[in-house]
Amino acid sequence: MVQSPGKQTIGMVSSYVGLNPCPADWLWPQSPHPFGVWQGVQMLARSPRPDWLLLYQYSFPKPPASGKFPFFQRPAPSPSPDLTTLLRGVPQERTIFLMREPPLEEMITKHQRIYQKAGQYCGYVSGPEDFAPVPDYMPAIWYVGVSFRELDALPPPAKTKTCSWITSGIDRTENHRKRLAFLHQLQEAELGIDFYGRDLPETVAAIGPVGNKWSAMAPYFYNLAIENYGDNAWYVSEKLWDALLAWCLPIYYGGAAADKLLPPESFLRLPSLDEKGIAYVQEVTASPDLWQERRGAIAEARQIILHKLNLLNWLSEFVERSS
């Protein structure tokens, strides 16, 4: 066991893709110290007896539907995780639930059910939507595959290309489909943008999926950071954090949360996902001048993300307030 003396340990449970089962070193690269230590806490996601427990985007098992089938045809219920085991003996007042998915119209009913269930087990339940028990911004996590120490000290890398966009071909909601339509418009406009991502339509001339987002961001002056949702004052995701940590000037499409969390000069506002947006991207990417002008604001935003918005810092401050 790598537990550090005198630190409050935080375990984690998640249903989030890529975190189930949760890796032992989850969040460790987001700290300058070994083994996920940040101030008075230590992230030990798989600790059998943590002091605190984080339920991070955990989808509580949905109760089986009743009355849908005659009794003799009713399918056997799927085995559900034993919540008693998952909670590991952590008391309710030390159990935290954080939603990280956006409140897309198609997901609101599901989110409401999850919040209701979370309230039965967790002393603090929060999400980036107005109907959450505690509406709040999502603490920052990032996917650029570079350690905290390197990011903290890293000067701007050599910028050799204009603009990239890392996205996906997901089309299960209306917002996803709008984003894909804009992607096709950008390609038709031939603005020299490099597209990366998984499951993109064959009609898109994409470079392909990337294992480390740093590779597809750091060499570029600009990055398109387009949220799946931008209709409230709470939701902002790693799309913005990753671009800034890679020293890009983000061309951002999202809600008002970013304006409250970051310096206004540290990102650009894409006005819309249509011809007006295309014209804006074309104007911005015509030269690196704006990136040069905004380097100081990008540097300031990076420090805010690393030291203040960081999920480990959020957990440390929460534990300190609650202890």
Side-chain angles (χ1 to χ4, degrees), residues 161 163-169 180-210 220:
K161 303 207 72 178
C163 184
S164 67
W165 185 9
I166 305 173
T167 185
S168 76
L180 280 173
F182 186 65
L183 174 63
H184 283 106
Q185 287 180 282
L186 275 174
Q187 179 171 263
E188 291 170 5
E190 298 182 349
L191 303 183
I193 296 170
D194 287 342
F195 303 111
Y196 298 86
R198 65 186 189 282
D199 303 323
L200 290 170
E202 293 183 2
T203 51
V204 175
I207 296 172
V210 289
Y220 295 85

Side-chain angles (χ1 to χ4, degrees), residues 9-30:
T9 56
I10 302 174
M12 195 190 77
V13 178
S14 180
S15 303
Y16 195 58
V17 176
L19 290 179
N20 191 14
C22 181
D25 61 346
W26 188 69
L27 279 193
W28 287 6
Q30 290 196 203

Side-chain angles (χ1 to χ4, degrees), residues 16 57 59 62 99-115 129 131 170 172-176 228-229 235:
Y16 195 58
Q57 187 62 35
S59 299
K62 190 175 182 179
M99 180 79 77
R100 65 152 286 117
E101 288 298 314
L104 297 166
E105 185 177 351
E106 297 87 346
M107 302 299 290
I108 288 176
T109 299
K110 177 183 177 182
H111 286 196
Q112 289 172 332
R113 177 187 66 81
I114 292 174
Y115 286 134
E129 44 209 350
F131 58 85
I170 295 172
R172 61 176 176 263
T173 71
E174 182 62 24
N175 284 21
H176 289 128
N228 295 327
Y229 180 86
Y235 185 77

